[in-house]
Short mmCIF file of all heavy atoms in Angstrom, two decimals:
data_model
loop_
_atom_site.label_atom_id
_atom_site.label_comp_id
_atom_site.label_asym_id
_atom_site.label_seq_id
_atom_site.Cartn_x
_atom_site.Cartn_y
_atom_site.Cartn_z
N VAL A 4 6.32 -0.77 -15.00
CA VAL A 4 7.26 -1.51 -14.16
C VAL A 4 6.96 -1.04 -12.74
O VAL A 4 7.10 0.15 -12.44
CB VAL A 4 8.73 -1.23 -14.53
CG1 VAL A 4 9.67 -1.93 -13.56
CG2 VAL A 4 9.01 -1.67 -15.96
N ARG A 5 6.49 -1.96 -11.88
CA ARG A 5 6.00 -1.58 -10.56
C ARG A 5 6.74 -2.39 -9.48
O ARG A 5 6.55 -3.60 -9.39
CB ARG A 5 4.51 -1.86 -10.49
CG ARG A 5 3.85 -1.49 -9.18
CD ARG A 5 2.38 -1.96 -9.14
NE ARG A 5 1.58 -1.40 -10.20
CZ ARG A 5 0.90 -2.14 -11.09
NH1 ARG A 5 0.92 -3.45 -11.05
NH2 ARG A 5 0.19 -1.56 -12.03
N PRO A 6 7.57 -1.73 -8.67
CA PRO A 6 8.22 -2.45 -7.57
C PRO A 6 7.30 -2.56 -6.36
O PRO A 6 6.61 -1.60 -6.01
CB PRO A 6 9.44 -1.58 -7.25
CG PRO A 6 9.02 -0.20 -7.65
CD PRO A 6 8.06 -0.37 -8.80
N TYR A 7 7.28 -3.72 -5.74
CA TYR A 7 6.53 -3.94 -4.49
C TYR A 7 7.56 -4.11 -3.38
O TYR A 7 8.41 -5.00 -3.44
CB TYR A 7 5.69 -5.22 -4.57
CG TYR A 7 4.52 -5.13 -5.52
CD1 TYR A 7 4.69 -5.26 -6.89
CD2 TYR A 7 3.23 -4.93 -5.03
CE1 TYR A 7 3.61 -5.19 -7.76
CE2 TYR A 7 2.15 -4.85 -5.89
CZ TYR A 7 2.35 -4.99 -7.26
OH TYR A 7 1.28 -4.93 -8.10
N VAL A 8 7.49 -3.25 -2.37
CA VAL A 8 8.43 -3.26 -1.26
C VAL A 8 7.82 -4.01 -0.09
O VAL A 8 6.63 -3.84 0.23
CB VAL A 8 8.77 -1.81 -0.85
CG1 VAL A 8 9.70 -1.78 0.33
CG2 VAL A 8 9.35 -1.05 -2.03
N LEU A 9 8.63 -4.86 0.56
CA LEU A 9 8.16 -5.58 1.74
C LEU A 9 7.86 -4.61 2.88
O LEU A 9 8.63 -3.67 3.11
CB LEU A 9 9.23 -6.56 2.23
CG LEU A 9 9.28 -7.92 1.55
CD1 LEU A 9 10.42 -8.74 2.13
CD2 LEU A 9 7.97 -8.66 1.66
N VAL A 10 6.76 -4.84 3.56
CA VAL A 10 6.39 -4.08 4.75
C VAL A 10 5.93 -5.06 5.82
O VAL A 10 5.49 -6.16 5.52
CB VAL A 10 5.28 -3.04 4.47
CG1 VAL A 10 5.76 -1.97 3.50
CG2 VAL A 10 4.02 -3.69 3.93
N ASP A 11 6.05 -4.64 7.08
CA ASP A 11 5.60 -5.48 8.18
C ASP A 11 4.09 -5.47 8.32
O ASP A 11 3.49 -6.45 8.74
CB ASP A 11 6.23 -5.02 9.50
CG ASP A 11 7.73 -5.27 9.55
OD1 ASP A 11 8.18 -6.27 8.97
OD2 ASP A 11 8.44 -4.45 10.16
N ASP A 12 3.45 -4.35 7.99
CA ASP A 12 2.01 -4.17 8.16
C ASP A 12 1.47 -3.38 6.97
O ASP A 12 1.62 -2.15 6.91
CB ASP A 12 1.75 -3.44 9.48
CG ASP A 12 0.27 -3.25 9.78
OD1 ASP A 12 -0.58 -3.31 8.86
OD2 ASP A 12 -0.04 -3.00 10.96
N VAL A 13 0.86 -4.07 6.03
CA VAL A 13 0.41 -3.40 4.80
C VAL A 13 -0.69 -2.38 5.08
O VAL A 13 -0.73 -1.33 4.46
CB VAL A 13 0.00 -4.43 3.72
CG1 VAL A 13 -1.30 -5.13 4.05
CG2 VAL A 13 -0.06 -3.79 2.34
N GLU A 14 -1.57 -2.66 6.04
CA GLU A 14 -2.65 -1.71 6.37
C GLU A 14 -2.04 -0.40 6.88
O GLU A 14 -2.44 0.69 6.45
CB GLU A 14 -3.59 -2.30 7.43
CG GLU A 14 -4.34 -3.53 6.98
CD GLU A 14 -5.54 -3.24 6.10
OE1 GLU A 14 -5.98 -2.07 6.04
OE2 GLU A 14 -6.04 -4.18 5.49
N ALA A 15 -1.08 -0.49 7.80
CA ALA A 15 -0.43 0.71 8.34
C ALA A 15 0.35 1.44 7.25
O ALA A 15 0.35 2.68 7.19
CB ALA A 15 0.49 0.34 9.49
N ALA A 16 1.02 0.70 6.37
CA ALA A 16 1.78 1.32 5.29
C ALA A 16 0.86 2.06 4.33
O ALA A 16 1.18 3.16 3.87
CB ALA A 16 2.61 0.27 4.55
N VAL A 17 -0.30 1.49 4.03
CA VAL A 17 -1.27 2.15 3.15
C VAL A 17 -1.73 3.46 3.78
O VAL A 17 -1.82 4.50 3.11
CB VAL A 17 -2.47 1.22 2.83
CG1 VAL A 17 -3.65 2.01 2.26
CG2 VAL A 17 -2.04 0.13 1.86
N GLU A 18 -2.02 3.44 5.07
CA GLU A 18 -2.45 4.67 5.74
C GLU A 18 -1.34 5.72 5.73
O GLU A 18 -1.60 6.91 5.56
CB GLU A 18 -2.94 4.37 7.15
CG GLU A 18 -4.26 3.62 7.17
CD GLU A 18 -5.33 4.23 6.25
OE1 GLU A 18 -5.56 5.45 6.31
OE2 GLU A 18 -5.93 3.47 5.46
N ALA A 19 -0.09 5.28 5.90
CA ALA A 19 1.04 6.21 5.89
C ALA A 19 1.21 6.87 4.53
O ALA A 19 1.41 8.09 4.44
CB ALA A 19 2.32 5.49 6.29
N VAL A 20 1.11 6.09 3.44
CA VAL A 20 1.28 6.70 2.12
C VAL A 20 0.07 7.55 1.75
O VAL A 20 0.22 8.58 1.08
CB VAL A 20 1.60 5.65 1.01
CG1 VAL A 20 2.91 4.93 1.33
CG2 VAL A 20 0.47 4.67 0.78
N ARG A 21 -1.11 7.15 2.23
CA ARG A 21 -2.31 7.98 1.99
C ARG A 21 -2.13 9.34 2.68
O ARG A 21 -2.41 10.38 2.09
CB ARG A 21 -3.56 7.28 2.52
CG ARG A 21 -4.85 8.03 2.21
CD ARG A 21 -6.09 7.49 2.90
NE ARG A 21 -6.19 6.07 3.03
CZ ARG A 21 -6.81 5.24 2.18
NH1 ARG A 21 -7.38 5.74 1.10
NH2 ARG A 21 -6.88 3.96 2.42
N ALA A 22 -1.62 9.33 3.91
CA ALA A 22 -1.38 10.57 4.65
C ALA A 22 -0.33 11.44 3.96
O ALA A 22 -0.35 12.66 4.11
CB ALA A 22 -0.95 10.25 6.09
N ALA A 23 0.56 10.81 3.21
CA ALA A 23 1.59 11.55 2.47
C ALA A 23 1.08 12.07 1.13
O ALA A 23 1.84 12.69 0.38
CB ALA A 23 2.81 10.66 2.26
N GLY A 24 -0.18 11.80 0.82
CA GLY A 24 -0.77 12.33 -0.41
C GLY A 24 -0.96 11.32 -1.53
O GLY A 24 -1.37 11.69 -2.63
N ALA A 25 -0.68 10.04 -1.27
CA ALA A 25 -0.83 9.02 -2.31
C ALA A 25 -2.30 8.70 -2.56
O ALA A 25 -3.14 8.78 -1.67
CB ALA A 25 -0.09 7.75 -1.91
N GLN A 26 -2.57 8.33 -3.80
CA GLN A 26 -3.88 7.80 -4.18
C GLN A 26 -3.78 6.29 -4.09
O GLN A 26 -2.85 5.68 -4.64
CB GLN A 26 -4.21 8.21 -5.62
CG GLN A 26 -5.44 7.53 -6.17
CD GLN A 26 -5.56 7.72 -7.69
OE1 GLN A 26 -4.78 8.42 -8.32
NE2 GLN A 26 -6.53 7.06 -8.26
N ILE A 27 -4.70 5.65 -3.39
CA ILE A 27 -4.69 4.20 -3.26
C ILE A 27 -5.40 3.62 -4.49
O ILE A 27 -6.60 3.79 -4.67
CB ILE A 27 -5.37 3.73 -1.95
CG1 ILE A 27 -4.75 4.45 -0.75
CG2 ILE A 27 -5.29 2.21 -1.82
CD1 ILE A 27 -3.24 4.32 -0.63
N ALA A 28 -4.64 2.97 -5.34
CA ALA A 28 -5.19 2.40 -6.57
C ALA A 28 -5.83 1.04 -6.31
O ALA A 28 -6.81 0.68 -6.95
CB ALA A 28 -4.09 2.26 -7.63
N LEU A 29 -5.25 0.28 -5.38
CA LEU A 29 -5.79 -1.02 -5.02
C LEU A 29 -5.53 -1.21 -3.53
O LEU A 29 -4.38 -1.23 -3.09
CB LEU A 29 -5.11 -2.14 -5.82
CG LEU A 29 -5.69 -3.54 -5.63
CD1 LEU A 29 -7.11 -3.63 -6.19
CD2 LEU A 29 -4.82 -4.57 -6.31
N PRO A 30 -6.58 -1.32 -2.73
CA PRO A 30 -6.40 -1.49 -1.28
C PRO A 30 -5.78 -2.85 -0.98
O PRO A 30 -5.70 -3.71 -1.87
CB PRO A 30 -7.82 -1.37 -0.73
CG PRO A 30 -8.70 -1.78 -1.85
CD PRO A 30 -7.99 -1.35 -3.12
N PRO A 31 -5.36 -3.07 0.26
CA PRO A 31 -4.76 -4.36 0.60
C PRO A 31 -5.63 -5.53 0.14
O PRO A 31 -6.83 -5.58 0.40
CB PRO A 31 -4.66 -4.30 2.13
CG PRO A 31 -4.47 -2.83 2.41
CD PRO A 31 -5.37 -2.15 1.39
N THR A 32 -4.99 -6.42 -0.60
CA THR A 32 -5.66 -7.57 -1.20
C THR A 32 -4.82 -8.80 -0.96
O THR A 32 -3.62 -8.80 -1.26
CB THR A 32 -5.84 -7.35 -2.72
OG1 THR A 32 -6.55 -6.12 -2.93
CG2 THR A 32 -6.56 -8.50 -3.38
N GLU A 33 -5.44 -9.84 -0.43
CA GLU A 33 -4.69 -11.07 -0.15
C GLU A 33 -4.70 -11.98 -1.37
O GLU A 33 -5.71 -12.12 -2.06
CB GLU A 33 -5.31 -11.81 1.03
CG GLU A 33 -4.52 -13.05 1.41
CD GLU A 33 -5.05 -13.77 2.63
OE1 GLU A 33 -6.01 -13.27 3.26
OE2 GLU A 33 -4.52 -14.84 2.96
#
């Protein structure tokens, strides 16, 4: 069960979670 949260800028959000230690399983995909 995976919630997707709305963000204004997905690229910036990915970088923020990566900096917090997250593993990016799937990069931004349109």
Side-chain angles (χ1 to χ4, degrees):
V4 175
R5 181 187 301 123
Y7 291 79
V8 178
L9 276 179
V10 295
D11 292 326
D12 182 340
V13 72
E14 296 281 346
V17 164
E18 290 312 311
V20 299
R21 185 189 322 266
Q26 171 193 356
I27 307 305
L29 186 66
T32 304
E33 184 176 356

